[in-house]
Amino acid sequence: MSDSMVDRYDRQTRFEPLGSKGQDRIRAAHVLLVGCGALGTSIADTLVRAGIGKITIIDRDYVELHNLHRQQLFTEEDVKHKVAKAKAAARYLKSVNTDVEIKAHVLDFQPEEAARFVPGVDLIMDGSDNFEVRMLLNDAAYRYEVPWIYGGVVGSYGLSRSFMLDDGPCLRCLSPYLSLDETCDNDGVIAPAVQMVTAMQSAEAIKMISGNKSAVSERLRSFDLWENETTAINAERLKDAQCPTCGSNPTYPELVNKEKGKQIRVLCGGDTVHVRPRERKDVQVEKLQNIQHSTLSSVRLHEDVATLNYEGCRVVLFKDGRALLHGIDEGDRAEKVYEHVLSLID
């Protein structure tokens, strides 16, 4: 290890359970982070500063003003230019630690992405904001035999659990006992709750990748900072022997893409629709800057993202063919707008 490496991680390696051998293991590890919002930015910052060897970041969204109070890697400039979160995070993290290999992908994490990115990594970190993605992560982790760490936060409440792929329950087994209908869009969130969850997630990650797996807790840990409550539950008894993810005959249902055609989904909050094509496209969003059309205005381009106004709604179009349509609360109109915008490019 070089002198610069020793100096950078000196206080970390002085921690006896880590030492230089633990630091070497951290340096050799590859972590996949899915989601780069509140949870993901904090996790990425911690792992990059800790000296992770490689981190792959996947996120489908771009930076908005309401993100800044809790998503710690982003700035007002990122908001101004509608920068994709994965790209904005990577740019910041590279300025923090040039020794770390950072790969950023502006993608919607689906079964195709699971098959592409999960095999071969050492650990999956959950930085997502919805249970659909987490259930997909759960199936992918067990299918490809990669441990993962779940985290969730809303309001002042948060919870986390590590899944070591042993004989204990998976997230699917625990899901009947978890509250799945609360979201930050509806119920809000405070930044200290985010930081508390990611502190638990990141600590467990460092234990795993440094070779200290015996120190990892597999309890379901939760807290409410406002109510001053903490719990740690032994969830072993919640194991479902017939679970399609971790049971005796797994089928990994979330890895089977059942969708036909485009996927059109109204997001939490009710005024944004997410449109994803059945197969990822390579859309030349830069063409929009040269198109003169009565329905389009305020066209702006930044790397993988184009933003424009279309008949009273704001369209954010990504190079992989996805779109977020703001100011629309029903799928039929969203699909028509989406198809019209794509037709202008073609």
Side-chain angles (χ1 to χ4, degrees):
M1 184 179 290
S2 67
D3 290 341
S4 62
M5 293 283 283
V6 171
D7 290 340
R8 177 184 284 270
Y9 306 114
D10 178 69
R11 298 305 186 270
Q12 186 162 283
T13 56
R14 286 174 184 267
F15 181 59
E16 186 175 351
L18 285 180
S20 59
K21 290 184 178 180
Q23 189 63 47
D24 288 344
R25 292 190 180 101
I26 292 172
R27 177 61 181 162
H30 180 189
V31 169
L32 171 63
L33 173 64
V34 178
C36 198
L39 298 176
T41 52
S42 180
I43 292 167
D45 195 30
T46 299
L47 294 183
V48 167
R49 291 178 187 276
I52 188 73
K54 180 178 179 179
I55 185 168
T56 297
I57 301 170
I58 298 176
D59 190 276
R60 69 186 184 185
D61 209 350
Y62 66 99
V63 184
E64 298 182 84
L65 186 62
H66 65 78
N67 300 147
L68 297 185
H69 89 279
R70 68 195 186 283
Q71 300 184 16
Q72 63 191 45
L73 303 185
F74 306 139
T75 68
E76 291 181 356
E77 280 296 301
D78 296 324
V79 174
K80 178 180 177 181
H81 296 290
K82 302 289 190 297
V83 183
K85 289 183 178 180
K87 294 296 182 69
R91 185 182 303 116
Y92 177 90
L93 293 167
K94 286 174 182 176
S95 72
V96 169
N97 193 341
T98 55
D99 292 327
V100 177
E101 183 179 354
I102 301 167
K103 299 294 184 181
H105 301 275
V106 185
L107 294 171
D108 186 25
F109 191 80
Q110 295 293 320
E112 179 183 350
E113 284 69 36
R116 175 183 172 189
F117 291 102
V118 172
V121 302
D122 299 294
L123 178 65
I124 304 168
M125 297 297 292
D126 170 26
S128 64
D129 61 359
N130 68 85
F131 217 76
E132 178 184 338
V133 172
R134 288 165 176 144
M135 294 300 283
L136 175 56
L137 287 178
N138 187 62
D139 273 12
Y142 281 82
R143 166 64 178 82
Y144 299 110
E145 300 182 344
V146 178
W148 78 290
I149 302 176
Y150 158 69
V153 62
V154 64
S156 59
Y157 173 79
L159 71 167
S160 177
R161 190 179 190 272
S162 301
F163 295 94
M164 298 286 287
L165 314 187
D166 53 16
D167 293 331
C170 72
L171 186 65
R172 188 182 299 278
C173 299
L174 301 181
S175 61
Y177 309 95
L178 302 177
S179 177
L180 309 182
D181 57 351
E182 295 179 342
T183 68
C184 294
D185 285 343
N186 295 330
D187 302 284
V189 63
I190 58 173
V194 173
Q195 294 155 6
M196 185 78 165
V197 172
T198 58
M200 294 191 296
Q201 288 180 279
S202 299
E204 297 299 282
I206 290 172
K207 292 176 189 177
M208 287 192 196
I209 62 179
S210 68
N212 289 278
K213 293 183 180 180
S214 62
V216 173
S217 171
E218 291 190 81
R219 289 178 176 268
L220 179 63
R221 295 185 290 172
S222 65
F223 63 84
D224 191 317
L225 292 181
W226 209 260
E227 300 297 332
N228 304 306
E229 298 173 350
T230 60
T231 60
I233 301 171
N234 185 341
E236 297 301 309
R237 62 183 178 81
L238 302 179
K239 168 78 174 185
D240 179 3
Q242 305 304 315
C243 175
T245 299
C246 67
S248 56
N249 295 294
T251 57
Y252 313 111
E254 300 303 320
L255 294 178
V256 180
N257 195 336
K258 307 181 185 68
E259 296 292 339
K260 303 297 182 183
K262 289 187 292 294
Q263 185 184 89
I264 301 173
R265 184 159 60 96
V266 179
L267 301 183
C268 294
D271 64 349
T272 299
V273 176
H274 181 243
V275 180
R276 178 173 59 83
R278 177 64 181 86
E279 295 181 357
R280 191 164 58 237
K281 303 179 179 181
D282 183 13
V283 178
Q284 295 178 294
V285 294
E286 60 275 8
K287 285 186 176 181
L288 286 167
Q289 288 187 307
N290 301 319
I291 293 173
Q292 301 294 324
H293 197 279
S294 59
T295 59
L296 304 184
S297 63
S298 303
V299 178
R300 299 175 64 182
L301 177 69
H302 190 279
E303 296 182 349
D304 298 306
V305 184
T307 61
L308 56 120
N309 291 331
Y310 177 98
E311 295 185 346
C313 72
R314 181 160 54 89
V315 179
V316 181
L317 183 64
F318 297 86
K319 283 192 172 182
D320 64 358
R322 294 179 300 109
L324 290 169
L325 295 90
H326 301 274
I328 297 179
D329 59 3
E330 49 92 12
D332 288 344
R333 182 174 178 233
E335 183 174 16
K336 291 177 181 178
V337 171
Y338 174 78
E339 292 295 346
H340 189 196
V341 172
L342 286 187
S343 71
L344 294 175
I345 297 175
D346 295 338

